[in-house]
Amino acid sequence: MIDSTHTQINKSTAQQGEILVKVERVSKKFCKDLKRSLWYGIRDIASDLFGLKKNQELRKDEFWAVDDVSFELRRGECLGLIGHNGAGKSTLLKMLNGLINPDKGKITMKGRIGALIELGAGFNPILTGRENVFNNGAVLGFTQKEIAAKYKAIVEFAELEEFMDTPVQNYSSGMKVRLGFAVAAQMEPDVLIIDEVLAVGDVGFKTKCFNTIVKMIEKTSIIFVSHSMPQISRICERLVFLKNGVVFFQGSDLVKGINLYFDSNLSQKPRLEKVETGISMNEINGCSLENFISKDISIHSEGDINIQMALSLKEPISFLKVGLIIGDQDLKQLIAVRSDKVFIESMNDFNIDLKIPNIPLSIGTYYMSVSFHEVIQNKEHNLYRIIANYKNAITLKVVGNSESSYVPMLWSASVNLTK
């Protein structure tokens, strides 16, 4: 049986590609009942004191939060750790950071360990930002002189010059992230653990953080946890997908791992919201209106989107304009597509072919909303009246090139009508 230990090896002359993180069949169990959990804890402490063998099997109300997880991480690699809430990611990270010990298995970490596991973690709220910088540097093994030499760079990176003598308890969540990441980046740890903290903060600082991560990867091993698949695909080389505490996927095929992640959450697909005033959409890509919410469209990154729709107008109009909104898993609008106005000669029944070229999306799953507008022309300007709006109507799966990234923008589309 493997010993339940967490070993940290002192920093030595490091070579590119050396193994800095080694996780061997690690498991961690918790108890759902508080009173029973305290009783089990007392029994386990007694077993340690008297050198008795611990019971490794599950007892009443216990469950495996992490179950038999193994992987290695070398210097110069970035590992993406993904999974839905409750999958065991935070538990695994706490074991990697030495906050808790595994019940089974062994974790070996080499060099200085930096961790951004949660907002404010490692900060003393009653101390100032300046004092916390020196405390965190000391924890990483730096001397006061070494920290002082890096202090100016840390403050400049965090952009908190005016607040370094303010207690951290008065910082906003974004300010805590700024300071925490600045310390981790400038102290250059051998292993850096980042857990979702970059979800907080402004776009400019996020961009700075990602650029810094890319530079750090050359000398560091990074474990990056995020629910944002575009972020994962942007900087990670390998994935570990946890599901119910077990490794569901592990490997360098990011497309496969991310698709498995999305497919495991299909039950939470956004509901189709239909707003209709003067039009009926009979089909999308050959699927009837009642069924097309389950219709998926797959394209390659930076590929073309082609959508065919059968429409029936309830009242004649002269000019039609089609709009398309593409949103991510969080339903954030990424790309807005607007066609030119099309003269439809008052046709009541016709088909629409909508083509959007070269959409710059990362691999992952997106949702598209379709809207139709009547264009009313007058001497001064055009007026637009919405006649139908189908929210989250189409599921778009992007596969292929993992290096592309979306940019919110207005995109052009071509529309062809056939009787």
Side-chain angles (χ1 to χ4, degrees):
M1 184 176 292
I2 303 174
D3 294 333
S4 300
T5 58
H6 183 290
T7 307
Q8 181 172 335
I9 302 173
N10 292 329
K11 186 176 182 181
S12 60
T13 303
Q15 300 296 324
Q16 184 75 12
E18 66 177 323
I19 297 175
L20 297 184
V21 180
K22 190 171 185 178
V23 178
E24 303 172 78
R25 307 196 67 181
V26 165
S27 300
K28 182 65 181 179
K29 59 185 176 181
F30 293 115
C31 183
K32 300 175 183 177
D33 184 87
L34 178 60
K35 292 183 180 179
R36 187 168 280 116
S37 176
L38 293 173
W39 171 239
Y40 290 158
I42 293 173
R43 291 174 58 182
D44 290 341
I45 292 173
S47 298
D48 288 336
L49 289 174
F50 294 103
L52 301 177
K53 185 178 180 181
K54 287 185 180 180
N55 182 8
Q56 298 292 348
E57 301 302 320
L58 290 180
R59 295 166 288 193
K60 186 177 180 180
D61 289 332
E62 286 187 329
F63 66 96
W64 292 112
V66 173
D67 189 7
D68 199 24
V69 173
S70 299
F71 64 85
E72 292 181 352
L73 187 60
R74 297 177 180 274
R75 188 182 299 277
E77 290 183 336
C78 182
L79 175 72
L81 183 59
I82 64 175
H84 303 296
N85 293 332
K89 304 187 300 298
S90 295
T91 300
L92 178 58
L93 294 188
K94 288 176 182 176
M95 288 189 287
L96 289 170
N97 199 33
L99 299 177
I100 57 177
N101 291 322
D103 291 309
K104 292 193 293 186
K106 182 178 180 180
I107 297 176
T108 304
M109 308 283 281
K110 187 174 183 179
R112 293 183 173 123
I113 315 299
L116 294 170
I117 292 183
E118 57 187 42
L119 290 178
F123 287 151
N124 187 324
I126 65 174
L127 298 181
T128 65
R130 183 191 305 272
E131 292 167 333
N132 273 290
V133 167
F134 281 87
N135 282 355
N136 275 261
V139 170
L140 288 174
F142 289 91
T143 65
Q144 294 287 306
K145 186 177 181 180
E146 289 174 319
I147 301 170
K150 295 177 179 289
Y151 180 78
K152 183 178 179 180
I154 292 172
V155 175
E156 289 179 353
F157 188 95
E159 301 173 7
L160 294 173
E161 293 88 347
E162 300 177 17
F163 304 99
M164 293 306 295
D165 292 315
T166 301
V168 168
Q169 63 185 359
N170 297 328
Y171 282 18
S172 67
S173 57
M175 292 168 70
K176 292 177 183 176
V177 169
R178 284 175 176 272
L179 187 59
F181 192 90
V183 173
Q186 299 302 320
M187 292 300 181
E188 298 179 347
D190 295 282
V191 180
L192 178 60
I193 303 171
I194 305 174
D195 181 13
E196 205 61 62
V197 294
L198 297 186
V200 178
D202 56 78
V203 175
F205 187 74
K206 287 181 184 178
T207 302
K208 182 192 289 189
C209 290
F210 280 112
N211 291 338
T212 301
I213 289 173
V214 172
K215 294 178 182 178
M216 291 178 65
I217 290 176
E218 299 177 4
K219 302 178 181 179
T220 307
S221 293
I222 297 178
I223 300 175
F224 185 76
V225 182
S226 177
H227 289 287
S228 171
M229 294 305 106
Q231 292 181 0
I232 289 288
S233 63
R234 177 180 175 183
I235 65 173
C236 297
E237 301 172 12
R238 293 193 294 120
L239 277 183
V240 171
F241 173 21
L242 289 182
K243 187 175 181 181
N244 299 323
V246 179
V247 175
F248 191 72
F249 171 84
Q250 180 175 175
S252 57
D253 190 341
L254 299 184
V255 174
K256 181 178 180 180
I258 290 174
N259 284 338
L260 286 172
Y261 171 82
F262 285 129
D263 290 342
S264 67
N265 200 31
L266 286 180
S267 61
Q268 298 183 28
K269 180 182 291 188
R271 179 177 61 87
L272 169 64
E273 300 174 18
K274 175 183 170 185
V275 179
E276 182 180 316
T277 58
I279 199 170
S280 63
M281 183 191 294
N282 299 319
E283 295 181 348
I284 286 186
N285 281 20
C287 288
S288 66
L289 176 61
E290 290 74 20
N291 298 323
F292 74 76
I293 185 62
S294 62
K295 181 70 174 180
D296 292 346
I297 300 175
S298 293
I299 67 167
H300 280 271
S301 181
E302 298 189 6
D304 299 341
I305 296 178
N306 294 284
I307 301 173
Q308 296 79 44
M309 296 169 284
L311 296 136
S312 178
L313 288 174
K314 294 180 180 178
E315 55 185 54
I317 63 175
S318 298
F319 292 91
L320 178 71
K321 195 176 183 73
V322 182
L324 195 71
I325 301 295
I326 300 178
D328 62 13
Q329 287 280 303
D330 297 324
L331 302 185
K332 296 176 183 175
Q333 179 178 323
L334 305 179
I335 294 176
V337 178
R338 296 288 185 269
S339 72
D340 294 329
K341 64 180 180 181
V342 179
F343 180 54
I344 62 175
E345 303 180 62
S346 300
M347 290 188 297
N348 288 88
D349 299 296
F350 53 91
N351 297 319
I352 283 186
D353 291 330
L354 181 66
K355 181 177 180 179
I356 309 115
N358 306 119
I359 292 293
L361 292 170
S362 300
I363 55 175
T365 299
Y366 303 85
Y367 297 104
M368 297 193 290
S369 301
V370 185
S371 61
F372 302 90
H373 306 260
E374 178 187 6
V375 184
I376 304 171
Q377 293 183 310
N378 60 29
K379 294 181 180 180
E380 297 180 359
H381 55 271
N382 292 334
L383 300 176
Y384 299 93
R385 180 176 71 92
I386 186 167
I387 54 179
N389 187 19
Y390 298 88
K391 295 183 179 179
N392 310 322
I394 306 169
T395 301
L396 174 66
K397 289 190 175 182
V398 179
V399 298
N401 183 0
S402 64
E403 296 181 356
S404 297
S405 58
Y406 60 76
V407 179
M409 61 182 68
L410 186 67
W411 218 246
S412 61
S414 61
V415 176
N416 293 318
L417 302 180
T418 57
K419 184 72 172 177

